[in-house]
Amino acid sequence: MAITQALYSGVTGLSVMSDTMSVVANNLANANSKGFKYDRAEFDDLLSMDMGTSAGAAQIGRGARLSDVRTIHTQGGLSITDRLTDLAVQGNGFFTVRNPMGEKAEAGGMFYTRVGSFHFDKDGYLSDKTGGRLQGYAADQSDRLSPKLTDLRIVTNNLPPSSTTKLKMNINLDSRDEVMEQDFDINNPQDTSNFVNSVNVFDSHGTKHALTTYFRRVEDDDGISFEWHATVDGNEVTDADGEKIKEVGRGKVSFNSEGVLLAEETTEFSANFSKGAVAEQFIELDFGNNIGEEEGNGVGASTAVATDSVTVFHSQNGYEAGNIKSLNIGLDGKIKGYYTNGVQKLIGAFALSTFENKDGLMKAGRNQFYATVDSGAPRTGEPQTGVRGSIYASTLEESNVDMAQQFVEMIRTQRGFQANSRSITTSDTMIEEVVNMKR
């Protein structure tokens, strides 16, 4: 009897409205949960009942059922905090957390989350409150990131010293200087050179030494050439033989007739610094990309034009030992350490994972998800690569729950529940009328 079926249809309506209310209540309960993504209840109608009518075959619905509870992965608002390790993702991607002790065995120990509230554990690993370790890429001594995904650890040990191996020098040597007939005299360097440059370099112990380089113009029929003589204090080397100044290197730098760097040559360089430093330290002097073997174009290279000799800039790659002073996290997820010796080193980088089907992710609690067959395998890489978003430090992502929207949904659900209740009571009244016909 169709009227009896109306009772059951009303019951299914009450059931789906109850489920909807549970979803709305859960959304409101997590309105202030960091990184929470709200859910939306979706419904299907049940298989209809076929029946015949004067117009032919017809169908009457048999009610509704819950078809899916879809998580809506829209961006939440960003709030500023005072902790560097509070991280937020702007755009696509999830933080990847490894936690073999996670509650979901089917996750295989890998979880994905938008909640970036991390801290350093006792071993220096970035971890969440459950003990899961944030995944990323470690950097080597040459500031190259490893392609292997690993537990991200920030090592705050002392930075060991590094000896100088290369000295970059951008200078202008005055082309108006006369060719010096007198040979370079180590005992009288000022009067036997045209220009002098001084820069601090470091030995293998990280000890600082002043490297003074004298430039002396020499004869060159095809252009302009200067000899250079690199010297250090005789008291700082083991082979000075009593000399106050020790020459440790020499070479030649040549320019064409227009003053553009043409060639560089190092005849010899060997510094034997004292106090147990590595012997025969070699330092390469680089005056820029020459237009000869290095196929440069003269831009940013040393010159020899008719203006006073001057050092535009110089830099070298050595440094003394230092302690880490501060950390910086860029939008690209790279973690850089700043040390007391002025050195900046790449320590590592965060990883973000994206999925072909985010709706296929399953919840694991604590605002974490795990991958399934429906979601597809994670595509993990550095932030700001591919479709992955950016990372903001000292920032947390808020939930994406719109309370006004949820209250509207609550009202609609309440009215839906009320209407389905009325359909049941009305059907009951109709059945009662049928029963009363016997009286």
Side-chain angles (χ1 to χ4, degrees):
M1 186 176 181
I3 192 170
T4 305
Q5 183 58 47
L7 284 172
Y8 291 106
S9 295
V11 170
T12 64
L14 292 179
S15 177
V16 295
M17 290 300 109
S18 297
D19 292 336
T20 302
M21 192 62 228
S22 296
V23 172
V24 172
N26 182 66
N27 290 338
L28 291 173
N30 287 280
N32 291 322
S33 297
K34 303 298 182 184
F36 177 78
K37 303 301 177 184
Y38 78 90
D39 296 325
R40 183 180 69 203
E42 298 179 351
F43 312 102
D44 288 335
D45 62 337
L46 290 174
L47 183 64
S48 300
M49 178 176 60
D50 295 328
M51 61 183 300
T53 68
S54 61
Q59 293 179 311
I60 297 178
R62 302 174 67 181
R65 64 181 175 184
L66 182 68
S67 64
D68 191 16
V69 178
R70 187 184 301 273
T71 301
I72 308 302
H73 293 277
T74 55
Q75 178 74 46
L78 303 183
S79 60
I80 305 300
T81 73
D82 56 359
R83 296 179 69 246
L84 180 67
T85 55
D86 283 342
L87 308 173
V89 179
Q90 175 73 51
N92 291 330
F94 295 84
F95 293 112
T96 305
V97 177
R98 187 182 69 86
N99 188 356
M101 304 303 292
E103 297 178 2
K104 295 290 184 179
E106 56 268 40
M110 299 299 289
F111 298 89
Y112 306 91
T113 182
R114 297 279 292 196
V115 182
S117 181
F118 298 105
H119 65 276
F120 291 109
D121 65 15
K122 61 183 180 62
D123 298 315
Y125 291 98
L126 271 173
S127 305
D128 64 13
K129 56 189 175 183
T130 68
R133 290 178 174 176
L134 182 62
Q135 300 296 285
Y137 305 98
D140 60 18
Q141 291 297 321
S142 301
D143 287 358
R144 292 189 298 264
L145 291 173
S146 168
K148 181 181 179 181
L149 196 66
T150 185
D151 297 345
L152 199 54
R153 187 183 188 190
I154 307 301
V155 179
T156 56
N157 296 338
N158 291 350
L159 183 68
S162 178
S163 60
T164 301
T165 59
K166 189 170 187 177
L167 170 60
K168 292 184 177 181
M169 195 179 300
N170 187 329
I171 60 176
N172 177 69
L173 297 171
D174 196 342
S175 61
R176 298 169 298 183
D177 288 339
E178 299 293 335
V179 174
M180 302 195 74
E181 301 294 337
Q182 185 180 358
D183 292 337
F184 178 73
D185 184 359
I186 190 66
N187 296 313
N188 189 18
Q190 293 283 357
D191 294 334
T192 54
S193 63
N194 300 100
F195 178 64
V196 60
N197 170 275
S198 185
V199 60
N200 289 324
V201 296
F202 297 88
D203 62 23
S204 60
H205 292 165
T207 303
K208 186 187 302 183
H209 304 276
L211 181 72
T212 304
T213 307
Y214 297 91
F215 294 86
R216 171 179 169 272
R217 184 165 184 179
V218 295
E219 189 67 40
D220 187 342
D221 296 333
D222 298 324
I224 304 169
S225 293
F226 284 81
E227 286 182 350
W228 57 264
H229 301 265
T231 66
V232 296
D233 190 327
N235 295 323
E236 298 178 358
V237 291
T238 59
D239 54 351
D241 298 328
E243 296 179 349
K244 292 184 178 180
I245 302 176
K246 172 63 178 178
E247 183 175 350
V248 294
R250 66 179 64 184
K252 184 179 180 180
V253 57
S254 301
F255 305 85
N256 64 16
S257 57
E258 297 177 348
V260 179
L261 183 63
L262 181 62
E264 306 156 80
E265 176 188 355
T266 298
T267 305
E268 62 174 317
F269 202 107
S270 179
N272 297 296
F273 292 113
S274 58
K275 298 182 180 179
V278 173
E280 298 181 356
Q281 180 175 337
F282 177 82
I283 300 177
E284 175 191 355
L285 268 66
D286 183 6
F287 295 92
N289 291 332
N290 61 65
I291 61 175
E293 295 179 353
E294 297 175 344
E295 299 181 353
N297 57 10
V299 176
S302 297
T303 57
V305 295
T307 186
D308 291 342
S309 296
V310 65
T311 299
V312 180
F313 80 86
H314 53 218
S315 65
Q316 52 82 42
N317 62 352
Y319 47 83
E320 60 188 352
N323 299 317
I324 195 165
K325 182 171 59 175
S326 62
L327 294 173
N328 175 267
I329 299 173
L331 296 178
D332 57 1
K334 289 184 171 61
I335 310 165
K336 295 179 180 179
Y338 294 87
Y339 293 81
T340 54
N341 55 8
V343 174
Q344 174 184 316
K345 296 286 289 183
L346 180 64
I347 296 176
F350 298 111
L352 290 181
S353 296
T354 59
F355 295 87
E356 187 67 29
N357 176 26
K358 290 187 290 188
D359 291 338
L361 294 171
M362 293 295 291
K363 291 186 175 182
R366 302 180 186 274
N367 291 334
Q368 294 182 340
F369 301 87
Y370 63 91
T372 66
V373 174
D374 291 337
S375 70
R379 295 176 294 189
T380 305
E382 296 176 45
Q384 293 189 336
T385 61
V387 298
R388 301 176 191 90
S390 304
I391 288 184
Y392 287 80
S394 300
T395 307
L396 287 175
E397 182 180 1
E398 300 291 344
S399 76
N400 64 348
V401 175
D402 184 338
M403 296 187 70
Q405 178 188 14
Q406 295 302 311
F407 280 128
V408 170
E409 189 66 26
M410 185 188 300
I411 294 172
R412 292 178 65 248
T413 302
Q414 180 185 9
R415 291 305 182 189
F417 189 92
Q418 192 176 45
N420 280 280
S421 298
R422 294 293 183 271
S423 72
I424 293 174
T425 56
T426 301
S427 298
D428 177 60
T429 301
M430 295 172 67
I431 294 174
E432 183 180 4
E433 288 298 325
V434 171
V435 172
N436 289 337
M437 289 174 63
K438 185 175 180 296
R439 295 178 182 176

